[in-house]
Amino acid sequence: MGEYQDRYEFPDLKFNIQRGKKRDFRMEKREKKDMFVWPDLVVMEFLTAVALTIILIVWALLVNAPLLEVANPGISENPSKAPWYFVGLQELLVYFDPWIAGVMIPSIIIICLIMIPYVDINPRGSGRYTFSLRKFALINFNIGFLMWLVLILIGYFLRGPDWQLYWPWESWTVVKKVEDNLWSLDPVTGLTGLALYFGLGMIIPGLVSREFYRKCGPARYTIVMLSILLMYFVPIKIFLRLAFNIRYVLVTPWFNI
Amino acid sequence: MDVSADKQRINRRMFLKITGWGSFFVTIGIFIAGTVRFLFPRVLFEQPPTFKIGFPKDFLPAVPDMRQGTLRVYEQWKKDHSVWIVREGNRLYAIYAKCTHLGCTPNWFADERIFKCPCHGSRFYSNGVNFAGPAPRPLDRFRIFLASDGRITVDKSRIYRFRDFDKQGAYLYLEV
Amino acid sequence: MSRKKSLWKRIRRSQVWRSIFRHDYTDTRKNRILQIRSNIFLHIHPARIPSHAGKIRFTWCMGGITFFLFIVEVITGILLMFYYRPVIEYAYQDMKYLRFDVPFGIILRNIHRWAAHLMIATIMLHMLRVFLTGSYKPPREFNWVVGVNLLVITFLLSFTGYLLPWDQLAYWAITVGANMIRATPFIGHEGPFALVDKYNDIRFMLLGGTEIGANALLRFYVLHVIVLPLTAAVLVGVHFWRIRKDGGISRPL
């Protein structure tokens, strides 16, 4: 061991091995709780990798990846489902036009995710599981995450031929009637409704909690509230469709929402 | 003297800085624009857009019944060209077999006399007008015309949407 | 027995051995640190970590598992590339060949497929864990952004890979996906305020044509095996690097 010691110097190592006498009390307290990566963590990582390899091999032996007939542009699969992680978006296609469900919603989700650390200025609750310190952030994020999951579950398990709702115990051979009594709000009502939703949604939380508005500042407040209002607009639209057969909330010559 | 020389030098430096960085970013910009253009091929190895479907007499019924609303859907061009030829009274038109929702291929159900899209359940009457499901508008139609050899030709490069269905070319008038 | 032992000792003392392993293996505090510091593959770790960082109930191990699955995807993917040709005439035949004749081909393909599915799940759980522990808070904001980009790339990898078997499942899933792109505002030919037609919109750029055909298959293949994995690998490097530079795994302040 000695021969290695004098030949190779690791300057930054000296701090760890021959510690100085003067030390920060907090650092010392922390270091007592520290663990070595070698071998403790490396062994854990190795065992995880081994376990996962076994799981993957067993899974691959038991279940074959699907391979249907060769691609045929003339015959559509019925139902043709996207892979499970996109089924949530496919489910949204029932309620929104493709440019919203397929383009705007994913883009907005990604942009909002990216902005999270810059708009969440609550300094508390970093590095541990807590609910009481970050109620607002956690409630909204988890509802969004849950929506993604629920839409996937509905799309994956409850949709049958023609993308109709089939309970798991119902036979897919029974043909379901397509809802053909959909109607749209007239432009004035629709515009008023949207203006009320977004306008009040922007103003009321700021009035109820002046503290929240003051801490965020106008720019952050607008971004946060707009993102949240957009997120809750999705289940609201779904509810309007299911409860009142409303197809579009807003009809314009260029696009429909 | 010194001051003006100093000024001169800074100006020259500014000039070189602007031209230098300018040409650098312009070159990068041209490279990116060229790469984007590169991704748009000029020649497509896809099916030719026009094909012939036969003479007008092939589409006349044995017993002439040219009342408005008499419909016949011809399915034999669907497989190769994604086209249904539909005769409605005296009008012959070519319906594009592609759902206006997300481009799945609908199917013709002769017994129910409707088109159904398997992907998201859109329904269309036999003239291609949507009545249920998420499809935003009726099925599109292709240009259909009588070529100089007397045969009916469908041109898939010209697409008519719902508002243009009455335009010249969106349908062919069959003389009895 | 003793000769064998001395041979082992001689190997360990040889110049070759010591040129590779700079330190011995005795379990000392120093060697535990050297083991990490002097090994290029292990040195993405710090030598010591706070003990809560080694608890699965804190990390769920989801980031590490995602990284491991990425490596699995790379290895199985490279092997599949030996048999798969991204040409319409061959692609489906090669899939059949892999499935029914190539030794272990079916297992490789299954692992590639299921690991990809699992990777989506673990990356989402990783994101959930990072959010629940508030680990995106300063100074780790930018690493969260890198992570979101990795999430998007993982989804794109799955999307591009889905077309490659060229079966009905692939064709129609991608048809629906590509037709959503067609509806992009401004740059898609069926979106609101379209500025383009079907020969120069964003969908045409992705597919290299107006239909899902030979060009689309080749493009998805190139994206799937080179462009996206390479980008992901670079971003994973940045992601790991930033964990260290931003003060290691998050801990209560």
Side-chain angles (χ1 to χ4, degrees), chain B residues 16-33:
Chain B
L16 284 174
K17 201 173 168 180
I18 290 167
T19 41
W21 281 114
S23 40
F24 177 78
F25 284 117
V26 165
T27 313
I28 299 252
I30 290 171
F31 183 74
I32 291 171

Side-chain angles (χ1 to χ4, degrees), chain C residues 4-102:
Chain C
K4 209 175 171 184
K5 205 176 173 185
S6 70
L7 180 68
W8 177 231
K9 230 176 199 168
R10 265 168 54 198
I11 291 173
R12 300 236 300 176
R13 280 202 189 137
S14 71
Q15 193 183 355
V16 176
W17 181 272
R18 275 166 35 188
S19 73
I20 303 170
F21 303 104
R22 293 299 200 190
H23 55 89
D24 72 359
Y25 190 72
T26 327
D27 188 12
T28 63
R29 192 183 177 82
K30 184 191 173 193
N31 278 342
R32 285 185 170 197
I33 292 165
L34 282 175
Q35 194 70 27
I36 301 296
R37 289 273 166 100
S38 61
N39 182 317
I40 185 164
F41 303 107
L42 291 178
H43 95 288
I44 53 171
H45 298 108
R48 289 146 54 89
I49 51 170
S51 58
H52 76 281
K55 298 273 191 299
I56 288 180
R57 68 164 184 272
F58 181 77
T59 65
W60 305 356
C61 204
M62 280 305 156
I65 289 177
T66 308
F67 180 57
F68 174 74
L69 289 172
F70 179 70
I71 294 170
V72 169
E73 289 299 283
V74 170
I75 293 170
T76 53
I78 288 173
L79 290 172
L80 290 170
M81 279 168 74
F82 284 121
Y83 283 98
Y84 175 81
R85 287 166 292 179
V87 182
I88 290 180
E89 289 79 8
Y90 298 137
Y92 184 71
Q93 305 309 321
D94 291 345
M95 295 307 295
K96 286 267 183 198
Y97 186 35
L98 270 164
R99 177 156 191 176
F100 293 111
D101 197 69
V102 176

Side-chain angles (χ1 to χ4, degrees), chain A residues 97-137:
Chain A
D97 277 0
W99 71 279
I100 300 180
V103 183
M104 298 308 288
I105 289 180
S107 313
I108 290 173
I109 291 174
I110 292 162
I111 292 169
C112 288
L113 282 176
I114 285 176
M115 285 191 310
I116 283 176
Y118 301 100
V119 295
D120 179 4
I121 49 168
N122 177 4
R124 290 173 302 174
S126 176
R128 60 177 156 142
Y129 294 96
T130 166
F131 177 68
S132 51
L133 298 179
R134 320 166 41 212
K135 279 183 191 149
F136 184 75

Side-chain angles (χ1 to χ4, degrees), chain B residues 43-49, chain C residues 198-199 204 208-213 215:
Chain B
V43 178
L44 293 179
F45 299 92
E46 296 176 355
Q47 274 185 345
Chain C
K198 74 172 186 175
Y199 292 103
F204 187 91
T210 59
E211 301 295 336
I212 293 173
N215 278 354

